[in-house]
Amino acid sequence: MELVLTNLVIGPLFFLVSFALYRWPPAKINYFYGYRTPRSMRSQRHWKEANQYSGWLGIWVSAVVTFAQLITLYWYSPRAALNVGVGLLLAGLVAVIVLTERRLKSLFPPEA
């Protein structure tokens, strides 16, 4: 039963965090929370774009993770569903970082 509850919490919890980052991004560059990479912290414009874009991507990742976990939970064991969910979440987090960095690089090209 604990694994079923864990499965039902992972995707929605990540959704809440991503939605908060998208809807209410941190106003100023800080070292506490937000999408914090050297590129995102170069300026306030970088910071705002990175936080909103990564939040939007995170919402989609959470939807995919939740859907995959529900399908896996229905057809397989709770442990298999948890493994699928965690694996997809990790892959999604990597994708969010890669895609956000690419977006920042394309919107704010390095000065020559």
Side-chain angles (χ1 to χ4, degrees):
M1 186 63 176
E2 290 175 15
L3 286 178
V4 172
L5 184 60
T6 304
N7 276 297
L8 298 176
V9 169
I10 289 176
L13 182 61
F14 190 65
F15 172 82
L16 290 174
V17 171
S18 297
F19 182 76
L21 190 61
Y22 174 74
R23 182 68 174 92
W24 303 286
K28 296 187 181 202
I29 298 171
N30 67 74
Y31 292 96
F32 179 65
Y33 93 104
Y35 182 87
R36 300 178 317 271
T37 63
R39 183 171 277 130
S40 71
M41 297 172 81
R42 280 189 187 153
S43 73
Q44 192 63 35
R45 286 178 52 211
H46 285 75
W47 179 254
K48 182 179 179 184
E49 179 64 30
N51 280 283
Q52 285 190 321
Y53 188 71
S54 64
W56 181 79
L57 290 174
I59 290 169
W60 284 101
V61 167
S62 67
V64 170
V65 168
T66 301
F67 181 73
Q69 281 188 291
L70 290 174
I71 295 298
T72 310
L73 192 58
Y74 180 77
W75 289 105
Y76 300 102
S77 70
R79 181 161 308 279
L82 187 60
N83 290 339
V84 166
V86 169
L88 283 175
L89 185 60
L90 291 175
L93 289 172
V94 169
V96 166
I97 292 168
V98 169
L99 292 172
T100 302
E101 291 298 310
R102 280 187 186 169
R103 181 168 177 92
L104 290 176
K105 192 173 183 181
S106 71
L107 288 177
F108 309 106
E111 297 174 11

Short mmCIF file of all heavy atoms in Angstrom, two decimals, residues 60-107:
data_model
loop_
_atom_site.label_atom_id
_atom_site.label_comp_id
_atom_site.label_asym_id
_atom_site.label_seq_id
_atom_site.Cartn_x
_atom_site.Cartn_y
_atom_site.Cartn_z
N TRP A 60 4.86 19.56 -18.05
CA TRP A 60 4.71 18.49 -19.03
C TRP A 60 5.37 17.20 -18.57
O TRP A 60 4.82 16.11 -18.75
CB TRP A 60 5.24 18.93 -20.40
CG TRP A 60 4.29 19.85 -21.06
CD1 TRP A 60 4.36 21.21 -21.16
CD2 TRP A 60 3.07 19.47 -21.69
NE1 TRP A 60 3.27 21.70 -21.81
CE2 TRP A 60 2.44 20.66 -22.16
CE3 TRP A 60 2.43 18.26 -21.91
CZ2 TRP A 60 1.23 20.64 -22.82
CZ3 TRP A 60 1.21 18.27 -22.58
CH2 TRP A 60 0.63 19.45 -23.02
N VAL A 61 6.54 17.32 -17.97
CA VAL A 61 7.22 16.12 -17.45
C VAL A 61 6.36 15.47 -16.38
O VAL A 61 6.20 14.24 -16.36
CB VAL A 61 8.63 16.48 -16.90
CG1 VAL A 61 9.21 15.33 -16.09
CG2 VAL A 61 9.57 16.86 -18.03
N SER A 62 5.79 16.25 -15.50
CA SER A 62 4.96 15.67 -14.43
C SER A 62 3.73 14.98 -15.00
O SER A 62 3.30 13.95 -14.48
CB SER A 62 4.56 16.75 -13.42
OG SER A 62 3.68 17.68 -13.99
N ALA A 63 3.17 15.53 -16.06
CA ALA A 63 2.01 14.89 -16.70
C ALA A 63 2.40 13.53 -17.29
O ALA A 63 1.67 12.54 -17.12
CB ALA A 63 1.43 15.79 -17.78
N VAL A 64 3.53 13.48 -17.96
CA VAL A 64 4.01 12.21 -18.54
C VAL A 64 4.30 11.20 -17.45
O VAL A 64 3.91 10.03 -17.55
CB VAL A 64 5.26 12.45 -19.42
CG1 VAL A 64 5.92 11.14 -19.83
CG2 VAL A 64 4.90 13.27 -20.65
N VAL A 65 4.98 11.63 -16.39
CA VAL A 65 5.31 10.73 -15.28
C VAL A 65 4.03 10.20 -14.63
O VAL A 65 3.91 8.99 -14.39
CB VAL A 65 6.19 11.46 -14.23
CG1 VAL A 65 6.30 10.66 -12.94
CG2 VAL A 65 7.58 11.72 -14.81
N THR A 66 3.08 11.06 -14.36
CA THR A 66 1.83 10.63 -13.72
C THR A 66 1.07 9.65 -14.59
O THR A 66 0.62 8.60 -14.11
CB THR A 66 0.94 11.86 -13.41
OG1 THR A 66 1.67 12.74 -12.55
CG2 THR A 66 -0.34 11.44 -12.73
N PHE A 67 0.95 9.96 -15.87
CA PHE A 67 0.24 9.07 -16.79
C PHE A 67 0.94 7.71 -16.88
O PHE A 67 0.29 6.66 -16.79
CB PHE A 67 0.17 9.72 -18.18
CG PHE A 67 -0.55 8.89 -19.18
CD1 PHE A 67 -1.93 8.74 -19.13
CD2 PHE A 67 0.15 8.24 -20.19
CE1 PHE A 67 -2.60 7.96 -20.06
CE2 PHE A 67 -0.50 7.45 -21.12
CZ PHE A 67 -1.89 7.31 -21.05
N ALA A 68 2.26 7.72 -17.03
CA ALA A 68 3.01 6.46 -17.13
C ALA A 68 2.89 5.64 -15.85
O ALA A 68 2.76 4.41 -15.91
CB ALA A 68 4.48 6.75 -17.44
N GLN A 69 2.93 6.30 -14.71
CA GLN A 69 2.80 5.56 -13.45
C GLN A 69 1.42 4.95 -13.30
O GLN A 69 1.29 3.82 -12.83
CB GLN A 69 3.09 6.47 -12.26
CG GLN A 69 4.56 6.70 -12.04
CD GLN A 69 4.80 7.43 -10.75
OE1 GLN A 69 4.47 8.60 -10.64
NE2 GLN A 69 5.37 6.75 -9.79
N LEU A 70 0.39 5.68 -13.68
CA LEU A 70 -0.96 5.13 -13.57
C LEU A 70 -1.14 3.92 -14.49
O LEU A 70 -1.72 2.91 -14.08
CB LEU A 70 -2.00 6.20 -13.89
CG LEU A 70 -2.14 7.31 -12.84
CD1 LEU A 70 -3.09 8.38 -13.34
CD2 LEU A 70 -2.61 6.73 -11.52
N ILE A 71 -0.63 4.02 -15.70
CA ILE A 71 -0.72 2.90 -16.64
C ILE A 71 0.08 1.71 -16.11
O ILE A 71 -0.40 0.57 -16.10
CB ILE A 71 -0.22 3.31 -18.04
CG1 ILE A 71 -1.11 4.39 -18.64
CG2 ILE A 71 -0.10 2.11 -18.96
CD1 ILE A 71 -2.55 3.97 -18.87
N THR A 72 1.30 1.97 -15.67
CA THR A 72 2.15 0.89 -15.15
C THR A 72 1.56 0.29 -13.89
O THR A 72 1.61 -0.92 -13.69
CB THR A 72 3.58 1.41 -14.87
OG1 THR A 72 4.04 2.11 -16.02
CG2 THR A 72 4.53 0.27 -14.57
N LEU A 73 0.99 1.13 -13.03
CA LEU A 73 0.37 0.65 -11.79
C LEU A 73 -0.83 -0.25 -12.09
O LEU A 73 -1.08 -1.22 -11.38
CB LEU A 73 -0.04 1.83 -10.93
CG LEU A 73 -0.43 1.58 -9.48
CD1 LEU A 73 0.71 0.90 -8.74
CD2 LEU A 73 -0.77 2.88 -8.80
N TYR A 74 -1.54 0.07 -13.14
CA TYR A 74 -2.70 -0.74 -13.51
C TYR A 74 -2.27 -2.10 -14.05
O TYR A 74 -2.88 -3.12 -13.71
CB TYR A 74 -3.54 0.01 -14.56
CG TYR A 74 -4.76 -0.75 -14.99
CD1 TYR A 74 -5.88 -0.80 -14.18
CD2 TYR A 74 -4.79 -1.44 -16.20
CE1 TYR A 74 -7.01 -1.50 -14.57
CE2 TYR A 74 -5.91 -2.15 -16.60
CZ TYR A 74 -7.02 -2.17 -15.78
OH TYR A 74 -8.13 -2.88 -16.16
N TRP A 75 -1.23 -2.14 -14.87
CA TRP A 75 -0.84 -3.38 -15.54
C TRP A 75 0.21 -4.19 -14.77
O TRP A 75 0.28 -5.40 -14.94
CB TRP A 75 -0.29 -3.08 -16.93
CG TRP A 75 -1.36 -2.67 -17.88
CD1 TRP A 75 -1.60 -1.41 -18.33
CD2 TRP A 75 -2.35 -3.50 -18.48
NE1 TRP A 75 -2.67 -1.40 -19.17
CE2 TRP A 75 -3.15 -2.67 -19.29
CE3 TRP A 75 -2.64 -4.85 -18.42
CZ2 TRP A 75 -4.22 -3.16 -20.03
CZ3 TRP A 75 -3.70 -5.33 -19.17
CH2 TRP A 75 -4.48 -4.49 -19.95
N TYR A 76 1.03 -3.52 -13.97
CA TYR A 76 2.13 -4.21 -13.30
C TYR A 76 2.09 -3.95 -11.80
O TYR A 76 1.12 -3.42 -11.28
CB TYR A 76 3.47 -3.77 -13.89
CG TYR A 76 3.59 -4.08 -15.36
CD1 TYR A 76 3.43 -3.08 -16.31
CD2 TYR A 76 3.84 -5.37 -15.81
CE1 TYR A 76 3.52 -3.35 -17.66
CE2 TYR A 76 3.93 -5.66 -17.16
CZ TYR A 76 3.76 -4.64 -18.08
OH TYR A 76 3.85 -4.92 -19.41
N SER A 77 3.16 -4.25 -11.14
CA SER A 77 3.23 -4.09 -9.68
C SER A 77 3.53 -2.64 -9.30
O SER A 77 4.05 -1.87 -10.10
CB SER A 77 4.33 -5.00 -9.12
OG SER A 77 5.61 -4.50 -9.51
N PRO A 78 3.25 -2.29 -8.05
CA PRO A 78 3.59 -0.94 -7.58
C PRO A 78 5.09 -0.65 -7.68
O PRO A 78 5.48 0.48 -7.97
CB PRO A 78 3.12 -0.94 -6.12
CG PRO A 78 2.02 -1.94 -6.08
CD PRO A 78 2.42 -3.01 -7.06
N ARG A 79 5.92 -1.67 -7.44
CA ARG A 79 7.37 -1.46 -7.55
C ARG A 79 7.77 -1.13 -8.97
O ARG A 79 8.60 -0.24 -9.21
CB ARG A 79 8.14 -2.68 -7.05
CG ARG A 79 9.65 -2.46 -7.12
CD ARG A 79 10.44 -3.39 -6.26
NE ARG A 79 10.05 -3.49 -4.88
CZ ARG A 79 10.38 -2.63 -3.93
NH1 ARG A 79 11.09 -1.56 -4.22
NH2 ARG A 79 9.99 -2.83 -2.69
N ALA A 80 7.21 -1.82 -9.95
CA ALA A 80 7.51 -1.54 -11.36
C ALA A 80 7.05 -0.12 -11.72
O ALA A 80 7.76 0.61 -12.41
CB ALA A 80 6.85 -2.57 -12.26
N ALA A 81 5.88 0.25 -11.24
CA ALA A 81 5.37 1.59 -11.51
C ALA A 81 6.26 2.66 -10.89
O ALA A 81 6.52 3.71 -11.50
CB ALA A 81 3.95 1.73 -10.98
N LEU A 82 6.75 2.39 -9.70
CA LEU A 82 7.65 3.33 -9.04
C LEU A 82 8.95 3.46 -9.81
O LEU A 82 9.47 4.56 -10.01
CB LEU A 82 7.91 2.90 -7.59
CG LEU A 82 8.69 3.88 -6.73
CD1 LEU A 82 7.96 5.21 -6.63
CD2 LEU A 82 8.92 3.29 -5.35
N ASN A 83 9.49 2.34 -10.26
CA ASN A 83 10.73 2.37 -11.05
C ASN A 83 10.54 3.16 -12.34
O ASN A 83 11.40 3.95 -12.73
CB ASN A 83 11.20 0.95 -11.36
CG ASN A 83 11.72 0.24 -10.14
OD1 ASN A 83 12.09 0.86 -9.15
ND2 ASN A 83 11.72 -1.08 -10.18
N VAL A 84 9.42 2.94 -13.01
CA VAL A 84 9.12 3.68 -14.24
C VAL A 84 9.00 5.17 -13.93
O VAL A 84 9.57 6.02 -14.62
CB VAL A 84 7.83 3.15 -14.90
CG1 VAL A 84 7.33 4.10 -15.98
CG2 VAL A 84 8.07 1.77 -15.48
N GLY A 85 8.26 5.50 -12.89
CA GLY A 85 8.06 6.90 -12.53
C GLY A 85 9.35 7.61 -12.18
O GLY A 85 9.61 8.72 -12.66
N VAL A 86 10.17 6.99 -11.36
CA VAL A 86 11.44 7.61 -10.97
C VAL A 86 12.37 7.73 -12.17
O VAL A 86 13.03 8.76 -12.37
CB VAL A 86 12.11 6.83 -9.81
CG1 VAL A 86 13.52 7.30 -9.57
CG2 VAL A 86 11.27 6.97 -8.54
N GLY A 87 12.42 6.70 -13.00
CA GLY A 87 13.25 6.74 -14.20
C GLY A 87 12.82 7.85 -15.15
O GLY A 87 13.65 8.61 -15.66
N LEU A 88 11.52 7.95 -15.38
CA LEU A 88 11.02 9.02 -16.25
C LEU A 88 11.23 10.40 -15.64
O LEU A 88 11.53 11.36 -16.35
CB LEU A 88 9.53 8.81 -16.53
CG LEU A 88 9.18 7.74 -17.55
CD1 LEU A 88 7.66 7.56 -17.63
CD2 LEU A 88 9.73 8.10 -18.92
N LEU A 89 11.08 10.50 -14.34
CA LEU A 89 11.30 11.78 -13.67
C LEU A 89 12.75 12.22 -13.82
O LEU A 89 13.03 13.38 -14.14
CB LEU A 89 10.91 11.70 -12.19
CG LEU A 89 10.96 13.00 -11.41
CD1 LEU A 89 10.02 14.04 -12.00
CD2 LEU A 89 10.61 12.75 -9.96
N LEU A 90 13.68 11.31 -13.61
CA LEU A 90 15.10 11.65 -13.77
C LEU A 90 15.42 12.04 -15.21
O LEU A 90 16.11 13.03 -15.46
CB LEU A 90 15.98 10.49 -13.31
CG LEU A 90 15.97 10.22 -11.81
CD1 LEU A 90 16.78 8.97 -11.49
CD2 LEU A 90 16.52 11.41 -11.05
N ALA A 91 14.91 11.26 -16.16
CA ALA A 91 15.13 11.59 -17.57
C ALA A 91 14.48 12.94 -17.91
O ALA A 91 15.06 13.75 -18.65
CB ALA A 91 14.55 10.49 -18.46
N GLY A 92 13.31 13.19 -17.35
CA GLY A 92 12.63 14.46 -17.58
C GLY A 92 13.38 15.63 -17.00
O GLY A 92 13.46 16.70 -17.62
N LEU A 93 13.97 15.46 -15.83
CA LEU A 93 14.75 16.53 -15.23
C LEU A 93 15.97 16.87 -16.08
O LEU A 93 16.30 18.04 -16.26
CB LEU A 93 15.17 16.16 -13.81
CG LEU A 93 14.05 16.15 -12.78
CD1 LEU A 93 14.54 15.59 -11.45
CD2 LEU A 93 13.47 17.54 -12.59
N VAL A 94 16.63 15.84 -16.59
CA VAL A 94 17.77 16.07 -17.48
C VAL A 94 17.29 16.82 -18.74
O VAL A 94 17.93 17.77 -19.19
CB VAL A 94 18.47 14.75 -17.85
CG1 VAL A 94 19.47 14.94 -18.97
CG2 VAL A 94 19.14 14.15 -16.62
N ALA A 95 16.16 16.40 -19.30
CA ALA A 95 15.62 17.06 -20.48
C ALA A 95 15.27 18.52 -20.20
O ALA A 95 15.52 19.40 -21.03
CB ALA A 95 14.39 16.31 -20.98
N VAL A 96 14.70 18.80 -19.03
CA VAL A 96 14.37 20.17 -18.66
C VAL A 96 15.63 21.03 -18.64
O VAL A 96 15.64 22.16 -19.18
CB VAL A 96 13.64 20.23 -17.30
CG1 VAL A 96 13.60 21.65 -16.75
CG2 VAL A 96 12.23 19.67 -17.42
N ILE A 97 16.68 20.53 -18.06
CA ILE A 97 17.94 21.29 -17.98
C ILE A 97 18.51 21.52 -19.38
O ILE A 97 18.85 22.65 -19.74
CB ILE A 97 18.96 20.56 -17.08
CG1 ILE A 97 18.48 20.59 -15.63
CG2 ILE A 97 20.34 21.21 -17.20
CD1 ILE A 97 19.25 19.67 -14.70
N VAL A 98 18.59 20.47 -20.18
CA VAL A 98 19.15 20.59 -21.52
C VAL A 98 18.32 21.57 -22.37
O VAL A 98 18.87 22.46 -23.02
CB VAL A 98 19.25 19.21 -22.21
CG1 VAL A 98 19.57 19.34 -23.68
CG2 VAL A 98 20.28 18.34 -21.51
N LEU A 99 17.01 21.41 -22.36
CA LEU A 99 16.15 22.26 -23.18
C LEU A 99 16.15 23.72 -22.70
O LEU A 99 16.13 24.65 -23.51
CB LEU A 99 14.73 21.71 -23.21
CG LEU A 99 14.57 20.38 -23.95
CD1 LEU A 99 13.17 19.83 -23.76
CD2 LEU A 99 14.90 20.54 -25.42
N THR A 100 16.19 23.92 -21.41
CA THR A 100 16.22 25.29 -20.88
C THR A 100 17.53 25.97 -21.22
O THR A 100 17.55 27.14 -21.64
CB THR A 100 15.98 25.30 -19.36
OG1 THR A 100 14.72 24.68 -19.09
CG2 THR A 100 15.97 26.72 -18.81
N GLU A 101 18.63 25.25 -21.10
CA GLU A 101 19.93 25.83 -21.45
C GLU A 101 20.00 26.16 -22.94
O GLU A 101 20.53 27.20 -23.33
CB GLU A 101 21.07 24.90 -21.04
CG GLU A 101 21.25 24.78 -19.54
CD GLU A 101 21.60 26.10 -18.87
OE1 GLU A 101 22.54 26.79 -19.34
OE2 GLU A 101 20.93 26.45 -17.89
N ARG A 102 19.45 25.28 -23.77
CA ARG A 102 19.41 25.56 -25.22
C ARG A 102 18.58 26.80 -25.51
O ARG A 102 18.95 27.62 -26.35
CB ARG A 102 18.83 24.37 -25.98
CG ARG A 102 19.78 23.26 -26.20
CD ARG A 102 19.15 22.23 -27.10
NE ARG A 102 20.01 21.07 -27.21
CZ ARG A 102 19.64 19.93 -27.75
NH1 ARG A 102 18.42 19.79 -28.23
NH2 ARG A 102 20.48 18.93 -27.83
N ARG A 103 17.47 26.91 -24.84
CA ARG A 103 16.61 28.09 -25.05
C ARG A 103 17.32 29.37 -24.64
O ARG A 103 17.26 30.37 -25.36
CB ARG A 103 15.30 27.93 -24.29
CG ARG A 103 14.36 29.12 -24.50
CD ARG A 103 12.99 28.80 -23.99
NE ARG A 103 12.09 29.90 -24.10
CZ ARG A 103 11.29 30.14 -25.13
NH1 ARG A 103 11.31 29.32 -26.16
NH2 ARG A 103 10.48 31.17 -25.14
N LEU A 104 17.97 29.35 -23.49
CA LEU A 104 18.69 30.53 -23.05
C LEU A 104 19.80 30.90 -24.03
O LEU A 104 20.01 32.08 -24.34
CB LEU A 104 19.27 30.32 -21.65
CG LEU A 104 18.27 30.26 -20.51
CD1 LEU A 104 18.98 29.94 -19.20
CD2 LEU A 104 17.48 31.54 -20.40
N LYS A 105 20.48 29.88 -24.53
CA LYS A 105 21.58 30.12 -25.47
C LYS A 105 21.05 30.70 -26.78
O LYS A 105 21.68 31.57 -27.38
CB LYS A 105 22.32 28.81 -25.73
CG LYS A 105 23.62 28.99 -26.45
CD LYS A 105 24.38 27.68 -26.51
CE LYS A 105 25.72 27.87 -27.17
NZ LYS A 105 26.45 26.60 -27.24
N SER A 106 19.86 30.24 -27.23
CA SER A 106 19.32 30.77 -28.48
C SER A 106 18.71 32.17 -28.31
O SER A 106 18.79 32.99 -29.21
CB SER A 106 18.27 29.81 -29.05
OG SER A 106 17.10 29.81 -28.28
N LEU A 107 18.10 32.42 -27.17
CA LEU A 107 17.51 33.76 -26.95
C LEU A 107 18.54 34.81 -26.60
O LEU A 107 18.36 35.99 -26.93
CB LEU A 107 16.47 33.67 -25.81
CG LEU A 107 15.17 32.97 -26.11
CD1 LEU A 107 14.30 32.92 -24.86
CD2 LEU A 107 14.43 33.61 -27.25
#
